[in-house]
Amino acid sequence: MTQPILEVRGLTCERGERTLFQGMSFAVEAGSLVRIAGSNGAGKTTLLRLMTGLMRPVEGEILWRGTPILKAAQDFWRELCYIGHRNGVKDDLSVIENVLINARVASLKATREDARRALAAVGLAEYEDVPAGQLSQGQRRRVALARLWLSESVVLWVLDEPFTALDVKAVARLSDLISKHVREGGVVMLVTHQEVPVDKSQLHIIEPERWAPRRRSAVERAMDDAAAAEAENALNAGA
């Protein structure tokens, strides 16, 4: 039996006075797409942040290659590419400067030519020297996502709604890249409603609500839906 590359054991997380999930456990092998699914407010983004070590669970642990991620520290982070809701784009820098700085922060070796190829892949080849502050929200998102084209050697990708604010062509390019990464033995964990073409044997669907100690009321769900819709509308407004 193949040893799992990623394991979640007995994970419990609280937000405020509410327990989002309790005793969550699952394991995935290399060459897997892990889609975090469920309704708004179920803890999908929280789970992603736990997977990166940005948050700590109340109980349980996350293991990467058999070692708890907090213990593995730098060894784990070198194998991680995380892109959350925030694009991390500096308005006063040019598009290509943002790509190169993001690569440097992530300890990726990238030349200016590598950055140009990444920008071409996300449809921003003609924006290389444009100040990022002049871009739409969709274009800023693509600047952040360009790092994925420089991270093909990084095994674990953790992505929070990566397809949001992208046009049809950009969605297709990103979907193809994610599929390729999985086929080549990488692990991609993401929150998305977008279908990504992978073999069924490579797809794992994790629903945090399965481990929730209680069901949310209709009022709680409605409030979470409204907050999510407001955030998405704000992001798409400048796309």
Side-chain angles (χ1 to χ4, degrees):
M1 185 175 178
T2 305
Q3 182 74 18
I5 192 171
L6 174 67
E7 293 181 81
V8 170
R9 296 179 178 174
L11 211 62
T12 296
C13 179
E14 296 177 354
R15 185 174 64 191
E17 298 181 356
R18 176 181 156 217
T19 299
L20 293 176
F21 42 82
Q22 187 173 39
M24 177 186 291
S25 297
F26 62 88
V28 297
E29 300 175 358
S32 296
L33 178 70
V34 184
R35 186 160 71 88
I36 311 303
S39 60
N40 296 320
K44 301 189 297 294
T45 291
T46 298
L47 177 57
L48 291 190
R49 291 177 64 81
L50 287 168
M51 300 303 301
T52 65
L54 292 174
M55 290 180 61
R56 296 193 180 190
V58 174
E59 294 179 351
E61 60 182 357
I62 300 162
L63 291 83
W64 178 252
R65 300 190 187 276
T67 302
I69 60 172
L70 295 179
K71 182 177 179 180
Q74 295 295 332
D75 289 338
F76 169 67
W77 293 324
R78 275 193 290 269
E79 296 196 89
L80 168 69
C81 177
Y82 171 60
I83 298 179
H85 277 301
R86 295 182 180 180
N87 294 321
V89 174
K90 304 296 184 183
D91 288 349
D92 56 338
L93 298 179
S94 70
V95 167
I96 197 167
E97 286 172 339
N98 269 286
V99 173
L100 289 169
I101 286 176
N102 283 341
R104 192 177 307 132
V105 169
S107 299
L108 298 171
K109 295 181 179 180
T111 65
R112 198 172 185 86
E113 188 56 37
D114 292 332
R116 288 195 180 101
R117 284 195 291 268
L119 287 172
V122 296
L124 292 176
E126 298 178 359
Y127 292 81
E128 177 181 328
D129 296 318
V130 174
Q134 297 180 16
L135 302 180
S136 70
Q137 287 296 332
Q139 290 168 332
R140 290 164 65 86
R141 188 61 169 167
R142 281 187 274 167
V143 172
L145 291 168
R147 179 153 62 95
L148 292 177
W149 274 264
L150 302 174
S151 301
E152 293 180 86
S153 63
V154 178
V155 180
L156 176 61
W157 293 359
V158 177
L159 314 174
D160 198 351
E161 296 283 6
F163 297 98
T164 299
L166 299 184
D167 59 27
V168 174
K169 289 183 178 179
V171 166
R173 291 191 193 103
L174 179 56
S175 181
D176 288 344
L177 181 67
I178 290 173
S179 298
K180 177 175 180 285
H181 193 63
V182 171
R183 287 196 306 271
E184 294 179 350
V187 175
V188 180
M189 176 175 281
L190 77 170
V191 173
T192 184
H193 299 292
Q194 174 71 33
E195 293 296 327
V196 177
V198 296
D199 189 276
K200 288 184 179 179
S201 65
Q202 297 174 307
L203 177 63
H204 303 262
I205 299 177
I206 303 298
E207 299 176 279
E209 283 173 300
R210 285 182 51 200
W211 288 273
R214 72 171 182 86
R215 297 179 64 87
R216 284 177 295 155
S217 68
V219 172
E220 288 174 319
R221 292 173 69 93
M223 290 177 64
D224 287 331
D225 288 343
E230 183 178 353
E232 186 171 352
N233 289 338
L235 185 59
N236 288 329

